[in-house]
Amino acid sequence: MSELRNLTLAVTGASGSIYAAEMLRALEADARVGKVNFVASENALRVFAEEMQLSGRTGLVEKLLGVAAVKTQQHPESDIGANVASGSYPSDGMIVLPCSMGTLAGIANGMAANLIQRAADVCLKERRPLVLCVRETPLNRIHLRNMQLASDAGATIFPVIPTLYNLPQSTTAMAREFVNRVLAHVGLPQAGAYQWRAD
């Protein structure tokens, strides 16, 4: 059996909490994943409260999962001494979902001002997968420039654009299919994911 994957999931203050929740549930349930390091920014906490009526940092992972976490460890955004802040920590990559334009700017310009930016910086310097699920519209030139900078540094820009060709019947189904696409991109294809069949 292959080695279990160790991934980081960061959530920032852009709209789209449902995507983060579905991603966390998928990672926690995936038998190929051994560890999930979870970081939610201060602004993400506000969005969770507004969009999902989940308040506070304490027990956030359990609130999102609906059950006790088995493989997910939560880190404060301010803890720049956490495991994922070091290149010596054996991580298999990082997903930022959703990724705000402020977080994108910090990553693209190497700010490393908090744990999310630092962990992303580590992924780039260690040539590990970094998927930035950006969430904003319309995009100004600064946003586009920062996406180009991050992409040139090795990140994948994966905008939060839901699929409609699979005829989702709920926002949860829409979010789950987007999560399926992101996970397939990092080598974790999901059972039940929609696959286009031209015939």
Side-chain angles (χ1 to χ4, degrees):
M1 181 177 176
S2 61
E3 191 172 324
L4 295 177
R5 304 282 291 278
N6 183 336
L7 295 168
T8 301
L9 173 62
V11 186
T12 67
S15 180
S17 295
I18 190 171
Y19 293 98
E22 287 302 310
M23 177 62 77
L24 185 62
R25 290 172 191 143
L27 290 172
E28 182 77 18
D30 196 314
R32 297 164 293 181
V33 176
K35 179 73 178 286
V36 181
N37 288 286
F38 178 81
V39 189
S41 73
E42 290 299 322
N43 289 334
L45 297 180
R46 177 170 181 173
V47 179
F48 276 127
E50 292 178 355
E51 295 185 350
M52 301 187 75
Q53 291 73 56
L54 297 176
S55 61
R57 182 182 301 281
T58 304
L60 178 59
V61 170
E62 286 71 22
K63 292 173 188 174
L64 290 169
L65 294 174
V67 295
V70 174
K71 58 183 79 167
T72 301
Q73 178 181 3
Q74 184 176 348
H75 304 279
E77 179 190 28
S78 59
D79 186 6
I80 58 170
N83 52 14
V84 293
S86 173
S88 65
Y89 179 70
S91 169
D92 293 303
M94 178 174 181
I95 299 166
V96 185
L97 173 64
C99 181
S100 68
M101 291 298 103
T103 297
L104 168 69
I107 293 170
N109 292 280
M111 300 302 292
N114 56 45
L115 182 57
I116 293 173
Q117 293 177 19
R118 173 57 187 168
D121 191 64
V122 167
C123 283
L124 293 176
K125 78 182 185 72
E126 299 293 334
R127 303 285 193 244
R128 296 170 182 162
L130 172 63
V131 182
L132 305 178
C133 300
V134 295
R135 174 71 170 77
E136 186 61 276
T137 190
L139 298 167
N140 65 36
R141 288 190 179 187
I142 296 170
H143 301 153
L144 294 169
R145 187 180 307 123
N146 285 335
M147 286 186 218
Q148 182 72 62
L149 286 171
S151 178
D152 287 346
T156 296
I157 306 300
F158 206 122
V160 180
I161 300 174
T163 60
L164 299 175
Y165 47 72
N166 56 313
L167 305 178
Q169 299 301 300
S170 67
T171 53
T172 299
M174 190 177 290
R176 180 61 208 222
E177 190 55 37
F178 177 81
V179 164
N180 288 343
R181 294 197 64 214
V182 174
L183 289 175
H185 186 78
V186 297
L188 292 170
Q190 300 292 295
Y194 180 85
Q195 291 186 342
W196 177 258
R197 298 241 195 299
D199 52 359

